[in-house]
Every structure is written in C-alpha cells, then in structure tokens.
Amino acid sequence: MLLKEVMEKSGLSRKAVQYYEDQGFVKPVKLENGYRDYDEDCLKTLRDIHAMRQMGLHIKEIREIGRASCRERV
C-alpha cells in the first residue's frame, strides 16, 4: 500500500511515517516509480508505534521494546 493509505490506516502524518522509516522501524519496498510500498507488517509496526507514543513512551523506549521482541522470535 502507498503512503497515503498507510497514513489513513495508521493515523500518522506523512512526516511521522517518514521519520519512523528514517529511524529504521519500517522498511518499505521502493517501486520503480520511486513510490514506497508498505506491507501489512509495516502498517502493524506503525500502528504499534503510534499507540506507544500516545501512551507517552519515547522513541528510545520503543526501540528497546522492538529489540526485545525481535530477540524473542529468534
């Protein structure tokens, strides 16, 4: 799905989605036309980040939670 749809479904602004991408939380596929294609995993991650930010967590704390959950899957 393209950025506009991700923004609508996640409740995040364009700037926020791009920030979380720059921070390495999501890695959409870049299409030939330069557009980014976000999958369902990206959307879930962005929704989770949005919820954690609304709870008052900082980016550093969210990053640590992400690292912990990745270790659990290994």
Side-chain angles (χ1 to χ4, degrees), residues 31-56:
L31 303 175
E32 286 184 26
N33 61 7
Y35 289 12
R36 290 171 174 83
D37 184 23
Y38 298 85
D39 62 16
E40 289 297 324
D41 288 336
C42 289
L43 178 59
K44 182 185 180 320
T45 298
L46 291 168
R47 284 178 169 164
D48 290 347
I49 291 169
H50 185 76
M52 287 186 271
R53 292 291 292 144
Q54 288 184 320
M55 289 187 284

Side-chain angles (χ1 to χ4, degrees), residues 11-66:
L12 294 169
S13 67
R14 176 184 307 268
K15 186 176 178 179
V17 173
Q18 290 172 339
Y19 173 76
Y20 297 132
E21 183 181 337
D22 291 344
Q23 293 299 308
F25 288 104
V26 293
K27 294 181 176 115
V29 174
K30 289 196 180 176
L31 303 175
E32 286 184 26
N33 61 7
Y35 289 12
R36 290 171 174 83
D37 184 23
Y38 298 85
D39 62 16
E40 289 297 324
D41 288 336
C42 289
L43 178 59
K44 182 185 180 320
T45 298
L46 291 168
R47 284 178 169 164
D48 290 347
I49 291 169
H50 185 76
M52 287 186 271
R53 292 291 292 144
Q54 288 184 320
M55 289 187 284
L57 284 124
H58 296 279
I59 293 300
K60 184 177 179 180
E61 295 167 312
I62 294 170
R63 191 178 316 279
E64 288 302 316
I65 291 168

